[in-house]
Amino acid sequence: MTGILQNFDIYSFQEKLIEWYQSNKRDLPWRQDQDPYKVWVSEIMLQQTRVDTVIPYFQRFISKYPTLYDLAYAEEQDVLKSWEGLGYYSRVRNLQTAVREVEAAYGGEVPDDPKQLGKLKGIGPYTKGAILSIAFNQPEPAVDGNVMRVLSRVLKIEDDIAQSKVKKQFEGYASELISHDDPSSFNQGIMELGALICTPKEPMCMFCPVQKHCRAFQEGMEQELPIKSKAKKQKKIPYTVLLIHNERGEYLIEKRPENGLLANLWQFPMVPIAEIGKDHMVNWFEMEYGIDVELSDKKGDLKHVFSHIIWQLEIVAATTPSKETEDKRVRFVSRDELEEYPFPVSHQKMMRYIT
Ligand code: SF4
C-alpha cells in the first residue's frame, strides 16, 4: 500500500460512498441498463460536456442508433448531424471508427479485455476504466478531473493535477481504493459525489457521506484543493466569414478538411483576414474559390472559444452572380437545405443573419 493510504480506512470509505450512491444517484438515461455500447456512448458524450446538455443528445442518439451495428453502418455525415452542437466532433468520429473496429474484429461485442478496449480509437484510460467498471463490473480506476478533485481533497494531495504524472499517481490511488465487490457503484459514486456534493467551488461538506474520511475537511483545506496550474492562454485568430448568396437565394457553404479541427463539418467560407488583409479579401476569395463576390453589409461579430484557440469572427454578407461551382468541397444550397448539413455551433449561430 502506498504511503498516502496508510491509516486510511479504505473499507469504511468504500461502504459509505457506495451506500450514499445507491440511495442518491440521479436517474440518468444511461443508467437504465449496463449495455457496454450505451455506457460507451454516454462516457464519450460526457467528456467536457455537462450532464444536462448530454441527456437529450444521448436519448436522440440512442433512438437513432440503438445498437453498435446501427452506428457502425451509419453515414458519417448523419452521425455528425446527430452530434451537431455538442462540440469536440473528433469524439464522435473516433467513436464511429472504434465501433466499426469492434464490429469487424470482435463480432460486434465490446471487448471486456483492458488491452483490447484501450487500443480502440478515442478510448483513453478514463473511458476504458469507466466502461470496464460500469458495464463489466471490473475493478478498474476511472480518473478524470472530477475524480481527481474529490480524491485530492479526501487524501489531501497538494500536487498539481494538471501534470500527467500526477494523474498517473491518482490512478494508482484509485486502484487501491476501488471496491472489488461493487466497482461500478464505487466509480460512479465518486463521480456523483464530485458532481453533486464535492463541487469545484464551495463543496457541501455538511452533506458529504465521506466527510469523516476527508483529510482536507479535517484541516479546513477543502476550498484550496485541488491545486491546478492554469492552462496556456488560447491564441486569438480573426476571420471574416462570408454569407454569400446568389440570385436564387442559395448560400455558399464549404466542407472543412478531413482532418483537424471540426473535420468534415460544413461552414460558411472563412477568410483568414490577418494573413490576407481586408483590402485583398475579395481578390483572394475569387482566386481561392473561383467565384466572384461583391461585399455588402456587416452583420455582426461572434467569438468562439476552443480549448487551444479563439475564433474572432466578423460576419459579412455578400452576393455573387455564380450559381454553381466545380469545386467538390463547396456548394450552393437553399435556406431549407442548410438544415440538413452538420455545422459547428458558431456557424449555426450565423443562420440568424440569413432570411
Ligand atoms: S468533506 Fe467536503 S471536501 Fe471532503 S470529500 Fe466531502 S465534500 Fe469533498
Side-chain angles (χ1 to χ4, degrees), residues 72-122:
Y73 289 108
E75 288 287 331
E76 190 198 49
Q77 288 286 298
D78 285 342
V79 176
L80 283 171
K81 184 76 191 163
S82 309
W83 206 268
E84 189 182 64
L86 259 186
Y88 301 98
Y89 296 88
S90 57
R91 292 183 294 177
V92 70
R93 275 190 303 271
N94 290 341
L95 174 65
Q96 196 182 29
T97 305
V99 154
R100 286 175 173 164
E101 195 180 332
V102 169
E103 199 269 327
Y106 304 112
E109 299 283 327
V110 178
D112 61 359
D113 174 79
K115 279 215 176 94
Q116 291 175 337
L117 192 61
K119 278 199 189 129
L120 295 170
K121 205 154 187 199

Coordinates of all heavy atoms in Angstrom, one line a residue, residues 72-122:
A72 N -22.2 1.6 -36.5 CA -21.1 1.2 -37.4 C -21.5 1.4 -38.9 O -20.7 1.8 -39.7 CB -20.8 -0.3 -37.1
Y73 N -22.7 1.1 -39.2 CA -23.1 1.2 -40.7 C -23.7 2.6 -41.1 O -24.1 2.8 -42.2 CB -24.1 0.1 -41.0 CG -23.5 -1.3 -41.0 CD1 -23.7 -2.2 -40.0 CD2 -22.6 -1.6 -42.0 CE1 -23.1 -3.4 -39.9 CE2 -21.9 -2.8 -42.0 CZ -22.2 -3.7 -41.0 OH -21.5 -4.9 -40.9
A74 N -23.8 3.5 -40.1 CA -24.4 4.8 -40.4 C -23.4 5.7 -41.3 O -22.2 5.5 -41.3 CB -24.7 5.6 -39.1
E75 N -24.0 6.6 -42.0 CA -23.2 7.6 -42.8 C -22.6 8.6 -41.9 O -23.2 9.1 -40.9 CB -24.1 8.4 -43.7 CG -24.7 7.6 -44.9 CD -23.6 7.4 -46.0 OE1 -22.7 8.2 -46.0 OE2 -23.7 6.3 -46.6
E76 N -21.3 8.9 -42.1 CA -20.6 9.8 -41.2 C -21.3 11.2 -41.1 O -21.4 11.7 -40.0 CB -19.1 10.0 -41.6 CG -18.4 10.7 -40.5 CD -17.1 11.4 -41.0 OE1 -17.1 12.1 -42.0 OE2 -16.1 11.2 -40.3
Q77 N -21.8 11.7 -42.2 CA -22.4 13.0 -42.2 C -23.7 13.0 -41.3 O -24.0 13.9 -40.7 CB -22.8 13.4 -43.6 CG -21.6 13.8 -44.4 CD -21.0 15.2 -44.0 OE1 -21.6 16.2 -44.1 NE2 -19.8 15.2 -43.5
D78 N -24.5 11.8 -41.3 CA -25.6 11.7 -40.5 C -25.2 11.7 -39.0 O -25.9 12.3 -38.2 CB -26.4 10.4 -40.8 CG -27.2 10.6 -42.1 OD1 -27.4 11.7 -42.6 OD2 -27.6 9.5 -42.6
V79 N -24.2 11.0 -38.8 CA -23.7 10.9 -37.4 C -23.2 12.2 -36.9 O -23.6 12.7 -35.7 CB -22.6 9.8 -37.2 CG1 -22.0 9.7 -35.8 CG2 -23.1 8.4 -37.7
L80 N -22.5 13.0 -37.7 CA -22.1 14.3 -37.3 C -23.3 15.2 -37.1 O -23.3 16.0 -36.2 CB -21.2 14.9 -38.4 CG -19.7 14.4 -38.5 CD1 -19.1 14.9 -39.7 CD2 -18.9 14.8 -37.3
K81 N -24.3 15.0 -37.9 CA -25.5 15.9 -37.7 C -26.2 15.6 -36.4 O -26.6 16.5 -35.7 CB -26.5 15.5 -38.9 CG -27.7 16.4 -38.9 CD -27.5 17.8 -39.4 CE -28.7 18.7 -39.2 NZ -28.3 20.1 -39.3
S82 N -26.1 14.3 -35.9 CA -26.7 14.0 -34.6 C -25.9 14.6 -33.5 O -26.4 14.7 -32.4 CB -26.7 12.5 -34.4 OG -27.3 11.8 -35.5
W83 N -24.7 14.9 -33.8 CA -23.7 15.4 -32.7 C -23.7 16.9 -32.8 O -23.1 17.6 -31.9 CB -22.3 14.8 -33.0 CG -21.4 14.8 -31.8 CD1 -20.6 15.7 -31.4 CD2 -21.3 13.7 -30.9 NE1 -19.9 15.3 -30.3 CE2 -20.3 14.0 -29.9 CE3 -21.9 12.4 -30.8 CZ2 -19.9 13.2 -28.9 CZ3 -21.5 11.6 -29.8 CH2 -20.5 12.0 -28.8
E84 N -24.4 17.5 -33.8 CA -24.3 19.0 -34.0 C -24.6 19.7 -32.8 O -25.7 19.5 -32.2 CB -25.3 19.3 -35.1 CG -25.1 20.7 -35.6 CD -26.2 21.0 -36.7 OE1 -27.4 21.0 -36.4 OE2 -25.8 21.2 -37.8
G85 N -23.7 20.6 -32.4 CA -24.0 21.4 -31.2 C -23.3 20.9 -29.9 O -23.1 21.6 -29.0
L86 N -22.9 19.7 -29.9 CA -22.2 19.1 -28.8 C -20.7 19.5 -28.7 O -20.1 19.4 -27.7 CB -22.3 17.6 -28.8 CG -23.3 16.9 -27.9 CD1 -23.1 15.4 -27.9 CD2 -23.2 17.3 -26.4
G87 N -20.1 19.8 -29.9 CA -18.7 20.2 -29.9 C -17.8 19.0 -29.8 O -18.2 17.9 -29.7
Y88 N -16.5 19.3 -29.9 CA -15.4 18.3 -29.9 C -15.8 17.1 -30.8 O -16.0 16.0 -30.3 CB -15.2 17.8 -28.5 CG -14.8 18.9 -27.5 CD1 -15.7 19.5 -26.7 CD2 -13.5 19.3 -27.5 CE1 -15.3 20.5 -25.8 CE2 -13.1 20.3 -26.6 CZ -14.0 20.9 -25.8 OH -13.6 21.9 -24.9
Y89 N -16.0 17.4 -32.1 CA -16.5 16.4 -33.0 C -15.6 15.3 -33.3 O -16.1 14.2 -33.7 CB -16.9 17.1 -34.3 CG -18.0 18.2 -34.1 CD1 -17.7 19.5 -33.8 CD2 -19.3 17.8 -34.2 CE1 -18.6 20.4 -33.5 CE2 -20.3 18.7 -34.0 CZ -20.0 20.0 -33.6 OH -20.9 20.9 -33.4
S90 N -14.3 15.4 -32.9 CA -13.4 14.2 -33.1 C -13.9 13.1 -32.2 O -13.7 11.9 -32.5 CB -12.0 14.6 -32.9 OG -11.9 15.1 -31.5
R91 N -14.6 13.4 -31.1 CA -15.1 12.4 -30.3 C -16.0 11.4 -31.0 O -15.9 10.2 -30.9 CB -16.0 13.0 -29.1 CG -15.2 13.8 -28.1 CD -16.1 14.3 -27.0 NE -17.1 15.2 -27.4 CZ -18.0 15.7 -26.6 NH1 -18.0 15.4 -25.3 NH2 -18.9 16.6 -27.0
V92 N -16.9 12.0 -31.8 CA -17.9 11.1 -32.5 C -17.3 10.4 -33.7 O -17.6 9.3 -34.0 CB -19.2 11.8 -32.8 CG1 -19.0 12.8 -33.9 CG2 -20.3 10.8 -33.2
R93 N -16.3 11.1 -34.3 CA -15.7 10.4 -35.5 C -14.8 9.2 -34.9 O -14.9 8.1 -35.5 CB -14.8 11.4 -36.2 CG -15.5 12.1 -37.3 CD -14.6 12.9 -38.2 NE -13.8 13.8 -37.3 CZ -14.1 15.0 -37.0 NH1 -15.2 15.5 -37.5 NH2 -13.4 15.7 -36.2
N94 N -14.1 9.4 -33.8 CA -13.4 8.3 -33.2 C -14.3 7.2 -32.8 O -14.0 6.0 -32.9 CB -12.5 8.8 -32.1 CG -11.4 9.7 -32.5 OD1 -11.0 9.7 -33.7 ND2 -10.8 10.5 -31.6
L95 N -15.4 7.6 -32.2 CA -16.4 6.6 -31.7 C -16.8 5.7 -32.8 O -16.9 4.5 -32.7 CB -17.6 7.3 -31.0 CG -18.7 6.4 -30.6 CD1 -18.3 5.5 -29.5 CD2 -19.9 7.3 -30.1
Q96 N -17.2 6.4 -34.0 CA -17.7 5.5 -35.1 C -16.5 4.6 -35.6 O -16.8 3.5 -35.9 CB -18.2 6.4 -36.2 CG -19.1 5.6 -37.1 CD -19.6 6.3 -38.3 OE1 -19.1 7.3 -38.8 NE2 -20.8 5.9 -38.8
T97 N -15.3 5.2 -35.7 CA -14.2 4.4 -36.2 C -14.0 3.2 -35.2 O -13.8 2.0 -35.7 CB -12.9 5.2 -36.2 OG1 -13.1 6.4 -36.9 CG2 -11.7 4.4 -36.7
A98 N -14.1 3.4 -33.9 CA -13.9 2.3 -33.0 C -15.0 1.3 -33.0 O -14.8 0.1 -32.9 CB -13.7 2.9 -31.6
V99 N -16.2 1.8 -33.2 CA -17.4 0.9 -33.2 C -17.3 0.0 -34.5 O -17.6 -1.2 -34.4 CB -18.7 1.8 -33.2 CG1 -19.8 1.1 -33.9 CG2 -19.0 2.2 -31.8
R100 N -16.8 0.6 -35.6 CA -16.6 -0.2 -36.8 C -15.5 -1.3 -36.5 O -15.6 -2.4 -37.0 CB -16.2 0.7 -38.0 CG -17.4 1.4 -38.4 CD -17.0 2.4 -39.5 NE -18.2 3.0 -40.1 CZ -18.3 4.1 -40.8 NH1 -17.1 4.8 -41.1 NH2 -19.4 4.6 -41.3
E101 N -14.5 -1.0 -35.8 CA -13.5 -1.9 -35.5 C -14.0 -3.1 -34.6 O -13.7 -4.2 -34.8 CB -12.3 -1.2 -34.8 CG -11.1 -2.1 -34.8 CD -9.9 -1.5 -34.1 OE1 -9.8 -0.2 -34.1 OE2 -9.0 -2.2 -33.6
V102 N -14.8 -2.7 -33.6 CA -15.4 -3.7 -32.8 C -16.3 -4.7 -33.6 O -16.3 -5.9 -33.4 CB -16.3 -3.0 -31.6 CG1 -17.1 -4.1 -30.9 CG2 -15.4 -2.3 -30.7
E103 N -17.0 -4.1 -34.6 CA -17.9 -4.9 -35.4 C -17.0 -5.8 -36.2 O -17.3 -7.0 -36.3 CB -18.7 -3.9 -36.3 CG -19.9 -4.5 -36.9 CD -19.6 -5.1 -38.3 OE1 -18.7 -4.6 -39.0 OE2 -20.2 -6.1 -38.6
A104 N -15.9 -5.3 -36.8 CA -15.1 -6.2 -37.7 C -14.2 -7.2 -36.9 O -14.1 -8.3 -37.3 CB -14.2 -5.2 -38.5
A105 N -13.6 -6.7 -35.8 CA -12.6 -7.6 -35.1 C -13.2 -8.4 -34.0 O -12.6 -9.4 -33.6 CB -11.5 -6.7 -34.6
Y106 N -14.3 -8.0 -33.4 CA -14.8 -8.7 -32.2 C -16.3 -9.1 -32.3 O -17.0 -9.3 -31.3 CB -14.7 -7.8 -30.9 CG -13.2 -7.3 -30.7 CD1 -12.9 -5.9 -30.8 CD2 -12.2 -8.2 -30.3 CE1 -11.6 -5.5 -30.6 CE2 -10.9 -7.8 -30.1 CZ -10.6 -6.4 -30.3 OH -9.3 -6.0 -30.1
G107 N -16.7 -9.2 -33.6 CA -18.1 -9.7 -33.8 C -19.1 -8.8 -33.2 O -20.2 -9.2 -32.9
G108 N -18.8 -7.5 -33.0 CA -19.8 -6.6 -32.5 C -19.9 -6.6 -31.0 O -20.8 -5.8 -30.5
E109 N -19.1 -7.4 -30.3 CA -19.2 -7.4 -28.8 C -18.1 -6.4 -28.3 O -16.9 -6.6 -28.6 CB -18.9 -8.8 -28.3 CG -19.9 -9.8 -28.7 CD -21.2 -9.8 -27.9 OE1 -21.1 -9.4 -26.7 OE2 -22.2 -10.1 -28.5
V110 N -18.5 -5.4 -27.5 CA -17.4 -4.6 -26.9 C -16.5 -5.4 -26.1 O -17.0 -6.1 -25.2 CB -18.1 -3.4 -26.1 CG1 -17.0 -2.6 -25.5 CG2 -19.1 -2.6 -26.9
P111 N -15.2 -5.4 -26.4 CA -14.3 -6.2 -25.6 C -14.2 -5.9 -24.1 O -14.2 -4.7 -23.8 CB -12.9 -6.0 -26.3 CG -13.0 -4.8 -27.0 CD -14.5 -4.6 -27.4
D112 N -14.2 -6.9 -23.3 CA -14.0 -6.6 -21.8 C -12.6 -6.8 -21.4 O -12.3 -6.8 -20.2 CB -15.0 -7.5 -21.0 CG -14.7 -8.9 -21.1 OD1 -13.8 -9.3 -21.9 OD2 -15.4 -9.8 -20.5
D113 N -11.7 -6.9 -22.3 CA -10.3 -7.0 -22.0 C -9.6 -5.6 -22.0 O -9.8 -4.9 -23.0 CB -9.6 -7.9 -23.1 CG -8.1 -8.0 -22.9 OD1 -7.7 -8.7 -22.0 OD2 -7.4 -7.2 -23.6
P114 N -9.0 -5.2 -20.9 CA -8.5 -3.9 -20.9 C -7.6 -3.5 -22.0 O -7.6 -2.4 -22.5 CB -7.7 -3.8 -19.5 CG -8.3 -4.9 -18.7 CD -8.8 -6.0 -19.7
K115 N -6.7 -4.4 -22.4 CA -5.8 -4.1 -23.5 C -6.5 -3.9 -24.8 O -6.2 -2.9 -25.5 CB -4.8 -5.3 -23.7 CG -3.7 -5.3 -22.7 CD -2.4 -5.8 -23.3 CE -1.2 -5.7 -22.4 NZ -1.0 -6.9 -21.6
Q116 N -7.4 -4.8 -25.2 CA -8.2 -4.6 -26.4 C -9.0 -3.3 -26.4 O -9.0 -2.6 -27.4 CB -9.1 -5.8 -26.6 CG -8.3 -7.1 -26.9 CD -9.2 -8.3 -27.0 OE1 -10.3 -8.3 -26.4 NE2 -8.8 -9.4 -27.7
L117 N -9.7 -3.1 -25.3 CA -10.5 -1.9 -25.2 C -9.7 -0.7 -25.3 O -10.0 0.3 -26.0 CB -11.3 -2.0 -23.9 CG -12.4 -1.0 -23.7 CD1 -13.5 -1.2 -24.7 CD2 -13.0 -1.1 -22.3
G118 N -8.6 -0.6 -24.6 CA -7.7 0.6 -24.6 C -7.1 0.9 -25.9 O -6.6 2.0 -26.1
K119 N -7.1 -0.1 -26.8 CA -6.5 0.2 -28.1 C -7.5 0.8 -29.1 O -7.1 1.3 -30.2 CB -6.0 -1.1 -28.8 CG -4.6 -1.5 -28.2 CD -4.0 -2.6 -29.1 CE -2.7 -3.1 -28.5 NZ -2.7 -4.5 -28.5
L120 N -8.7 0.8 -28.8 CA -9.7 1.4 -29.7 C -9.6 2.9 -29.7 O -9.3 3.5 -28.7 CB -11.1 1.0 -29.2 CG -11.4 -0.5 -29.3 CD1 -12.8 -0.8 -28.6 CD2 -11.5 -1.0 -30.8
K121 N -9.9 3.4 -30.9 CA -9.7 4.9 -31.1 C -10.6 5.7 -30.1 O -11.8 5.4 -30.0 CB -10.1 5.2 -32.5 CG -9.4 6.5 -33.0 CD -9.2 6.5 -34.5 CE -8.3 7.7 -34.8 NZ -8.4 8.2 -36.1
G122 N -10.0 6.7 -29.5 CA -10.8 7.6 -28.6 C -11.0 7.0 -27.2 O -11.7 7.7 -26.4

